[in-house]
Every structure is written in C-alpha cells, then in structure tokens.
Amino acid sequence: MLAVKVPKKEAEMARRRLLELGILAKGYSIKREGDFVLFPVTGPVNGFELVEAEFERTERRPHSYREVVEVPAELRQLLPSSFDIIGDIAIIELPEELMPHGRAIGGAILKVHRHIKAVFAKGGKVEGEYRVRELIHLAGENRTETVHRENGIRLKLDVARVYYTPRLATERMRVFEKTQPGEIVFDMFAGVGPYSILLARKADLVFAVDLNPWAVKYLEENIRLNKATNIVPVLSDVREVAGKIKADRVIMNLPKFADRFLKEAMLSVKPGGIIHYYGFSPEEDLFSEHEAKIKATARELGFRVEFLDRRKVRPYAPRQFNIAIDFRVE
Ligand SMILES: C[S@@+](CC[C@H](N)C(=O)[O-])C[C@H]1O[C@@H](n2cnc3c(N)ncnc32)[C@H](O)[C@@H]1O
C-alpha cells in the first residue's frame, strides 16, 4: 500500500501532520526501516516521499460480542446490545429466532469478555414464590454459582436457585444513604442479602427474612463472607414473622406481590418508621394505584401515612416500570 517515508528524527512531526490531514491509514502498524519510518497512508500527499510498502494489521480488541459472533445476516439486528453479568456469569435474553444460535452467541461473549466463564440464556419469566427463572446453558462452564460484587459487598449466590438482579444496585445504595445509624431494619424479602448486608453497615440490627431455603443458605454465607455481626437471617414466610418485629425501616422488595403484604409491613414498623415499597406499573399510571392500596391498608389499621418519595427504579418490560414509593407510617 501507499506509504510516506521519513527520517526517524522527523517521524513524530510527520505523524502529527498526517493525522491533521486525516490521511494516516487506520488499522496498520507503523514500520521501521533502518533510519527511516514508514507510515501507511490512504492517498498521495504533498511534501513527503511516497513509496509502496506492506504493513501488518494491528489487532483491535472487539468491544462487543456482536462484532465477532457469526449469525445469519438477517438475524443480526436481533442481537441484544446488553446482557446481565453476575459475578463471572453472563445471562442474556435472546429472542426465539436467535435461540438456535445460542452456542455461537455464548462463545462470542466468552471470547470478548475474558472474565466471563459461563453464559446462560433466560429460559422464561421470573416465576413462583421464590422469584426464579429457568436458565439455558449456552457456553463455557455449566455452573450457576458465583460471587458477585456490588456496592462494596460480596454476594455468593446460585443464579438458578435464587432471585438476584444487578440492576438494583443503585436503588439499594439510595436506600443505604437514607438509613440512619442506630436503626432497626426489617428486610421482608431478603433473598441472598444485597439490601441486608449493605444496610447492616449503618443500621444497628437487620432482620432478613426469606422463604426460599437456598436464598437463606446463601444469605448466611454472605453474612460470614462480609463479616456482618448484626444480621438475623430467618427462613420463614414473612407472614409468620411480621408484627413480632418493630423496625425503623422496612424493605418490601417483592414488586410483583408487595401490595399483598402491606398489612404485615405496617404492623412491623415503629410509629414514624419508614417503608420502602416496590411495585410494577404501566407507564401511564405509575403510582396512583399503589398509593391507593397503601392508603386503604393504613386506614384499615388506623394508621396515617405520609408519602416521602416516589420514583421509577428501572424499566421492567415494554412500557412497564419497577417503581418505588417511600412512606412514613404514624
Ligand atoms: C424479588 S426477590 C428480592 C430479593 C432481594 N431483596 C434482592 O434484592 O435481591 C423476592 C424474594 O422474596 C422471597 N419471598 C417471596 N414470598 C415470600 C414470603 N411470603 N415470605 C418471605 N419471603 C418471600 C423470594 O424467595 C425472593 O427471594
């Protein structure tokens, strides 16, 4: 290809000039020949000695699996631009048309993201009381246990046996920032402990309840892993425990069914205590239905509620949002 040849001592000046002119060919390495340096160029340029030369291509590491994956051209546009990473496991949501190419997609993810050791596809919706979903192994190790880091804590978990999403990390940090030293916290649907372990760094005591035995097994391991000494893990249906605990702050992270547990939450909070309620809502009505249920339950129990904050936490499905409502109970 066409090249500009300059004496070594003028090489830096020449490189800048060629860059300015936008004529330096990208993707090739510059070549040294004795006391001269050769730059690959895309066309003739005045004021330089031009020669023909061969150049080696420079390797640019691909940034996305989409750059290296081999799928039929007509399916390329369906390739998801993102996927979840939990520890060293990737979980991707593939449209049906791409499922037959799952191995190639998984392989491409492993190739581009060297820290990922296993790739799974979502095999369905998050379902049941335990809020877990089926996973389909695509590539790498057929292993579902990993250790994930979030907000400075370590969480060991099995992605096939417990609920966990890294997409709530910011929300959990927001609740941590509101938590005050000395508080008693009641994490009603604790899972493997991402709220409990974080909030235990500020609160006096955290009650962490879950009815999934796998979640509580990992919660207990995570309490040890993070050297927390002020968390009480409880394997139980929260209905058995609620009312026996009086907390300053209650976390209701079960968006699909939280409205069914409002009574339990309100009976577990001290006067003036705060409840962090989560729900799913359509875009056109994010809060009013949930707030109506909160008010109705408070009325039934003879409590008064003061709404403190309401926000979209994250998109959940097309035109559906995971929302949060913080309220005080008097
Ligand atoms: C959406 S997950 C949230 C887990 C955790 N808070 C997190 O952020 O990863 C809800 C959790 O509630 C638990 N759960 C569902 N119904 C329950 C109940 N009646 N009593 C106690 N735990 C329950 C499930 O097992 C699941 O681990």
Side-chain angles (χ1 to χ4, degrees):
M1 68 188 293
L2 203 57
V4 157
K5 184 175 178 182
V6 294
K8 222 155 87 179
K9 57 181 183 307
E10 291 168 24
E12 185 47 30
M13 221 165 56
R15 190 185 66 85
R16 281 200 217 130
R17 180 79 188 121
L18 296 172
L19 273 174
E20 256 170 37
L21 293 170
I23 205 163
L24 196 60
K26 291 192 183 106
Y28 297 95
S29 24
I30 288 162
K31 202 167 167 175
R32 279 171 193 82
E33 250 183 27
D35 287 339
F36 292 89
V37 174
L38 276 72
F39 292 98
V41 286
T42 53
V45 53
N46 287 333
F48 289 105
E49 181 186 344
L50 288 169
V51 293
E52 261 303 307
E54 278 182 14
F55 291 90
E56 273 179 31
R57 290 216 71 115
T58 51
E59 272 226 13
R60 184 183 77 80
R61 268 185 63 71
H63 299 303
S64 164
Y65 78 96
R66 293 191 296 180
E67 293 175 44
V68 300
V69 71
E70 286 183 20
V71 292
E74 67 278 14
L75 297 180
R76 224 156 231 294
Q77 63 186 31
L78 296 177
L79 288 167
S81 59
S82 66
F83 49 84
D84 283 344
I85 299 176
I86 302 176
D88 58 1
I89 296 176
I91 301 175
I92 190 163
E93 185 164 2
L94 293 180
E96 221 172 283
E97 300 91 313
L98 282 175
M99 280 311 283
H101 305 280
R103 272 176 74 123
I105 292 168
I109 290 175
L110 291 177
K111 198 164 166 189
V112 173
H113 302 272
R114 299 282 164 87
H115 62 290
I116 292 175
K117 300 287 178 249
V119 185
F120 292 86
K122 293 181 181 176
K125 287 188 174 160
V126 169
E127 278 177 335
E129 271 192 320
Y130 295 172
R131 312 305 298 143
V132 291
R133 75 163 96 236
E134 194 196 329
L135 294 174
I136 299 160
H137 180 243
L138 297 182
E141 295 173 33
N142 193 354
R143 154 172 70 78
T144 49
E145 187 180 76
T146 190
V147 177
H148 183 75
R149 281 167 199 272
E150 171 188 292
N151 295 326
I153 62 176
R154 282 189 297 160
L155 296 167
K156 190 169 178 187
L157 63 116
D158 186 323
V159 290
R161 291 189 153 117
V162 299
Y163 175 92
Y164 176 78
T165 175
R167 297 184 195 189
L168 292 176
T170 311
E171 172 60 19
R172 292 191 261 260
M173 185 41 85
R174 205 198 56 78
V175 175
F176 172 75
E177 277 160 7
K178 299 205 165 181
T179 304
Q180 299 299 315
E183 283 187 358
I184 295 177
V185 172
F186 180 19
D187 189 358
M188 288 177 76
F189 310 102
V192 300
Y195 278 96
S196 293
I197 292 167
L198 184 63
L199 269 52
R201 299 214 155 154
K202 237 196 224 172
D204 250 19
L205 188 60
V206 179
F207 291 99
V209 179
D210 205 289
L211 51 56
N212 177 353
W214 284 102
V216 176
K217 169 189 138 27
Y218 284 107
L219 169 65
E220 286 169 345
E221 265 195 79
N222 290 330
I223 291 171
R224 284 194 292 277
L225 203 60
N226 292 279
K227 300 186 171 50
T229 52
N230 53 346
I231 301 175
V232 181
V234 183
L235 172 61
S236 167
D237 187 314
V238 77
R239 283 172 277 228
E240 303 293 324
V241 181
K244 296 180 187 141
I245 291 168
K246 292 289 175 205
D248 299 284
R249 193 172 295 276
V250 173
I251 321 285
M252 299 187 74
N253 185 25
L254 181 64
K256 184 93 177 163
F257 306 118
D259 54 342
R260 300 182 190 171
F261 293 87
L262 276 166
K263 216 177 213 174
E264 283 79 0
M266 288 187 199
L267 290 172
S268 306
V269 80
K270 292 181 189 169
I274 289 168
I275 298 182
H276 298 277
Y277 171 95
Y278 295 94
F280 292 134
S281 303
E283 197 172 23
E284 59 280 8
D285 177 13
L286 291 173
F287 304 110
S288 65
E289 211 173 292
H290 293 290
E291 287 180 354
K293 284 180 184 164
I294 292 169
K295 281 191 224 156
T297 311
R299 214 176 303 120
E300 204 183 307
L301 297 172
F303 294 143
R304 220 172 46 78
V305 291
E306 180 194 351
F307 291 107
L308 304 172
D309 192 15
R310 43 178 81 92
R311 62 198 168 275
K312 284 186 197 171
V313 174
R314 60 176 179 134
Y316 162 67
R319 292 185 301 283
Q320 295 272 322
F321 283 88
N322 183 179
I323 58 99
I325 300 172
D326 301 346
F327 60 95
R328 194 190 303 281
V329 183
E330 299 279 6

